[in-house]
Amino acid sequence: MRSGRASGVILAVFLSVTWAGFAQAEVAGDLTNRLQATLEQILDRYDLPGATAAIVVPDGTVFGSAAGLADVELKRPMTPDTRLLAASIGKTFVGAMVLALESKGQVSQSDLLSKYLGDRPWFSGLPNAEAITLGHLLRHSSGLPDHPHLPEFHAAARARIARDGGRFTPEELIGFVVGKAPLFASGKGWAYTDTGYILLGLVVEAASGRSYYEMLTERFLDPLGLGDTVPSDTPDIPDLAVGYTVADNPFGLPQRTADRAGRLLWDPAMEWTGGGLASSASDLARWGHAFFGGEAMEAPYLDRLLDGVPIAPDTAGILYGTGVAIYTDTPDGPVYGHGGWIPGYVSSLRHYADHGVTVAFQINSDVGVVDDSSDHVAELEAMLARLAIEASQ
């Protein structure tokens, strides 16, 4: 039989633990409610259809929320697990794949591109073909043009989408820059280029002898439990929110970019390693927390990930590393991440290194972004950063 004193100690410990649990639940509920309210505020202010967001706090706990509609016409609500196209955030996974292969000695960022693709019939027609390294491609310092912004690509994509949905092979995409003049000598400037990341996808497959998506699933998606993240290699993506775009978009898409069943009216496979994934905000936040926190691979890699180049001579505080944008001097300390845009969808991923928190959000509309008429993405990033940093204190 326990003494009265021992029983009192046990009761005090029990009450303390129970109260701590209640307090933690209250804090968690408050953060989730504030996250929800923030999304609703942005949707109302900018007349957006729907959005999802997630915050990962220092201990790895994920808080996710959603607001608005995943399908406006059918009144399908957005949920925290709804998938949206993540667009160029997929470049962080490409960077991770190259880092993983480099850690195993299968590639080096100093390798010339010609080592892997020099035997392709179109290779000699690439701008700066013989001078480009893998590091140049990773950091957008190759001097290659960006095929998604070329008028001839817009015309071809518009025609192909109207005909059969618009699937392009990686080498067809590269073909849009073959024969063009370089923007600058490799390593002597900076210009964002999806084309460079398509080339990196081919390098990954040539060096490994396996498909990019197969390796991505095996090395990162499955081990990190990113079950909401899937290749966007088909118009039929389960649980995908309908994306809404502007009427005069360069690809001739209707404002609702999916049919009534939710099937995309174009083939997102054309993006491939320029992005190439559908995901949830919670999965993107988990991924960023692991990757930018140095936990996505066993071998050390953060020094190589964050070895960046300035995006312009007068923007020393903004660098681009191995598939990551690096903001070195912000009021919140260094910030690592990536944004994403693709017709009908906008995404953002940010890791606040000094605070150990990661934030991601996705919106199923690119109105205000594709036409550069709104600052709601930057506003939402700032609002969610405040929530996340406060939660870490």
Side-chain angles (χ1 to χ4, degrees), residues 286-299:
R286 287 188 188 93
W287 164 245
H289 204 70
F291 187 42
F292 302 134
E295 302 297 327
M297 292 175 262
E298 292 183 3

Side-chain angles (χ1 to χ4, degrees), residues 73-242:
E73 290 74 21
L74 297 183
K75 308 299 182 187
R76 176 163 64 98
M78 191 77 81
T79 74
D81 298 327
T82 301
R83 291 186 175 114
L84 292 85
L85 297 183
S88 285
I89 291 177
K91 289 183 174 68
T92 63
F93 287 92
V94 177
M97 189 66 70
V98 174
L99 290 170
L101 292 176
E102 187 173 43
S103 293
K104 291 194 169 187
Q106 292 179 266
V107 303
S108 170
Q109 293 188 44
S110 63
D111 288 343
L112 288 170
L113 179 61
S114 59
K115 176 178 178 179
Y116 303 95
L117 304 180
D119 60 347
R120 308 294 170 102
W122 42 263
F123 183 82
S124 62
L126 282 178
N128 292 332
E130 297 300 334
I132 296 173
T133 67
L134 304 193
H136 293 148
L137 294 175
L138 287 164
R139 294 170 180 79
H140 300 294
S141 60
S142 65
L144 289 170
D146 185 26
H147 72 268
H149 290 92
L150 296 177
E152 49 266 51
F153 175 72
H154 291 170
R158 181 186 290 260
R160 196 169 291 193
I161 287 170
R163 185 176 70 247
D164 58 16
R167 179 178 286 264
F168 289 84
T169 68
E171 298 200 354
E172 285 179 317
L173 296 175
I174 294 164
F176 287 100
V177 308
V178 169
K180 292 194 174 296
L183 303 180
F184 46 80
S186 292
K188 302 300 182 182
W190 191 90
Y192 192 88
T193 169
D194 271 31
T195 317
Y197 270 71
I198 298 297
L199 287 163
L200 283 170
L202 293 177
V203 168
V204 166
E205 294 194 337
S208 65
R210 301 175 63 191
S211 81
Y212 170 73
Y213 283 130
E214 179 185 7
M215 293 182 63
L216 180 68
T217 300
E218 180 182 291
R219 287 177 178 264
F220 297 114
L221 302 186
D222 284 350
L224 294 175
L226 304 179
D228 293 337
T229 306
V230 297
S232 54
D233 57 353
T234 172
D236 294 298
I237 299 174
D239 301 319
L240 184 73
V242 173

Side-chain angles (χ1 to χ4, degrees), residues 265-278:
L265 299 173
W266 60 286
D267 195 334
M270 71 168 69
E271 191 186 30
W272 198 43
T273 48
L277 298 170

